[in-house]
Amino acid sequence: MVNEVLFWIVAFLTVIPSLALLFAKRPVHIAMSIVTVMVGLAAAYVGLGAPFLGVVQIVVYTGAVMMMFLFVLMLVGVDQREDLKETIKGQKWIGFAGSIGLAILLIAVIGKVTMEPRITGVEGNPEEIALQLFSEYVLVMEVLGFLLITAAVGALVLTHVPRLTPRRTQVELAEARVLAGANPVNKPMPGVYARHNALDVPALDPEGNVIEDSVSRVLEIRHQTQDGAEFRAHLENPEQKGGDDK
Amino acid sequence: MNYVILAAILFSIGSAAVLLRRNAIVAFMGVELMLNAANLALVAFSRMFGELDGQIMAFFVMVVAAAEVVVGLAIIIALFRARQTISLDEPAELKG
């Protein structure tokens, strides 16, 4: 009875979010619904007497694999539009028909099979699985170790960008800057000393004029800077209350 | 047996995603879903036969899937670096 209820919970928790794979627009939504599917499958494994696999499913899939998917999504930009023009004519309907046909075929074949369930109360305890893994399947374990190392090295090689020019030292960078005629000293810091040191207020020179270079160019483009007029007025006329004395 | 049918449905949804979506990452998630469906079938059969081998096979499939994800995502990143898109329809150089 409990197993029946668990099955339906798992079925709803896996099939409905996995439909997002077909119909959702944003890749991040799809990734999150696949995370839900993975959690549902972990619940199914625990219900099927494989608690070890359930834990591994959570750790490997929801913890590592899907987070890596999200990471790559962020890396390539979440707002990658999917172009909807079809390269192969009618690919959508062919694909739909093909997968629905596959589903019908699989379900029909599975429905015809009758199997005597031999539930002998096998539990996927870590101890028993470890015994099997390291006795009967020890060679496979070692091969899998090789596979993982190869995959890690392969990923490093694939994402590695060779450096085409030698790395420039700090001295060379400084000399190039001076040769280009740039100001060799630091730009002045923003803010009016002891009055206002927020990034949006330009510094004032001794005569009370605004130093343009002291404010970030980004803020200037966004028109988020202040002109510092109230602070200048305060400097000129100390009697007047200004700035943050208000 | 119910679980095997559920696995078949999930496998079909995954295959549909691989066939229909153009975003490489989404298609790749479809592949992951298919692998998970196979895992679910393995665990269900393991339960039915009262043997542990199915669970161990599912464990191996998980390890292989993890390795596959690492390499696949690295390929997607390399592709993105080369042509600033991850659409599966863009690379058409092999067209005669």
Side-chain angles (χ1 to χ4, degrees):
Chain A
M1 182 58 208
V2 175
N3 265 337
E4 198 72 7
V5 174
L6 181 73
F7 171 76
W8 285 109
I9 291 174
V10 166
F12 275 110
L13 209 58
T14 51
V15 171
I16 291 173
S18 68
L19 285 177
L21 207 51
L22 301 180
F23 301 115
K25 291 272 185 302
R26 290 167 173 267
V28 176
H29 294 175
I30 298 173
M32 291 322 286
S33 46
I34 297 296
V35 168
T36 319
V37 173
M38 302 298 179
V39 173
L41 285 177
Y45 293 163
V46 175
L48 284 169
F52 172 69
L53 273 189
V55 172
V56 171
Q57 170 86 5
I58 294 259
V59 170
V60 171
Y61 273 104
T62 58
V65 170
M66 292 320 291
M67 290 311 118
M68 201 146 101
F69 267 106
L70 281 176
F71 184 74
V72 171
L73 269 180
M74 299 296 166
L75 201 66
V76 303
V78 243
D79 46 342
Q80 284 267 337
R81 289 281 117 205
E82 224 174 338
D83 50 342
L84 290 173
K85 72 166 172 51
E86 291 187 323
T87 335
I88 306 168
K89 210 165 158 244
Q91 184 195 1
K92 203 176 189 179
W93 302 114
I94 296 171
F96 259 122
S99 9
I100 288 174
L102 178 69
I104 290 171
L105 181 72
L106 283 175
I107 291 171
V109 170
I110 293 164
K112 279 175 83 174
V113 176
T114 49
M115 226 181 324
E116 202 58 47
R118 288 189 292 163
I119 297 178
T120 51
V122 57
E123 285 285 320
N125 286 328
E127 291 95 356
E128 288 164 36
I129 287 191
L131 273 179
Q132 287 243 346
L133 273 182
F134 290 105
S135 59
E136 206 175 329
Y137 294 100
V138 66
L139 185 68
V140 185
M141 279 294 278
E142 292 181 5
V143 171
L144 281 182
F146 277 119
L147 177 72
L148 280 178
I149 292 175
T150 317
V153 174
L156 285 181
V157 169
L158 278 173
T159 52
H160 179 250
V161 183
R163 181 177 282 281
L164 295 175
T165 53
R167 192 187 172 90
R168 298 167 75 199
T169 62
Q170 223 168 7
V171 177
E172 284 169 349
L173 282 175
E175 279 167 358
R177 220 173 287 147
V178 172
L179 271 181
N183 195 350
V185 297
N186 290 347
K187 287 178 179 173
M189 302 293 283
V192 179
Y193 186 63
R195 282 287 157 206
H196 197 300
N197 59 3
L199 289 176
D200 58 344
V201 180
L204 303 179
D205 65 7
E207 288 165 9
N209 298 319
V210 170
I211 306 173
E212 295 289 344
D213 270 350
S214 62
V215 194
S216 163
R217 212 161 49 86
V218 176
L219 291 179
E220 223 163 276
I221 290 167
R222 287 194 194 153
H223 301 291
Q224 285 178 340
T225 56
Q226 299 183 19
D227 56 1
E230 50 178 318
F231 306 107
R232 188 164 54 239
H234 192 74
L235 279 181
E236 285 160 3
N237 182 7
E239 295 304 307
Q240 183 191 339
K241 290 284 181 192
D244 34 36
D245 299 347
K246 270 187 258 191
Chain B
M1 212 49 160
N2 285 341
Y3 281 102
V4 183
I5 292 177
L6 177 65
I9 292 172
L10 287 179
F11 191 89
S12 312
I13 293 175
S15 70
V18 174
L19 288 176
L20 296 178
R21 300 306 291 249
R22 272 73 180 280
N23 190 325
I25 295 182
V26 177
F28 206 41
M29 284 188 217
V31 175
E32 285 306 305
L33 190 65
M34 288 162 83
L35 280 167
N36 270 286
N39 267 352
L40 182 61
L42 282 173
V43 175
F45 280 129
S46 154
R47 172 74 164 181
M48 268 183 244
F49 286 103
E51 303 259 353
L52 269 184
D53 297 81
Q55 294 186 18
I56 289 169
M57 285 304 149
F59 179 68
F60 290 156
V61 170
M62 277 183 194
V63 176
V64 173
E68 174 234 348
V69 163
V70 169
V71 175
L73 288 179
I75 290 175
I76 287 178
I77 289 180
L79 201 71
F80 178 74
R81 281 223 189 104
R83 43 178 71 245
Q84 312 303 318
T85 178
I86 52 169
S87 173
L88 287 176
D89 278 349
E90 272 324 297
E93 265 100 66
L94 287 181
K95 225 169 171 182

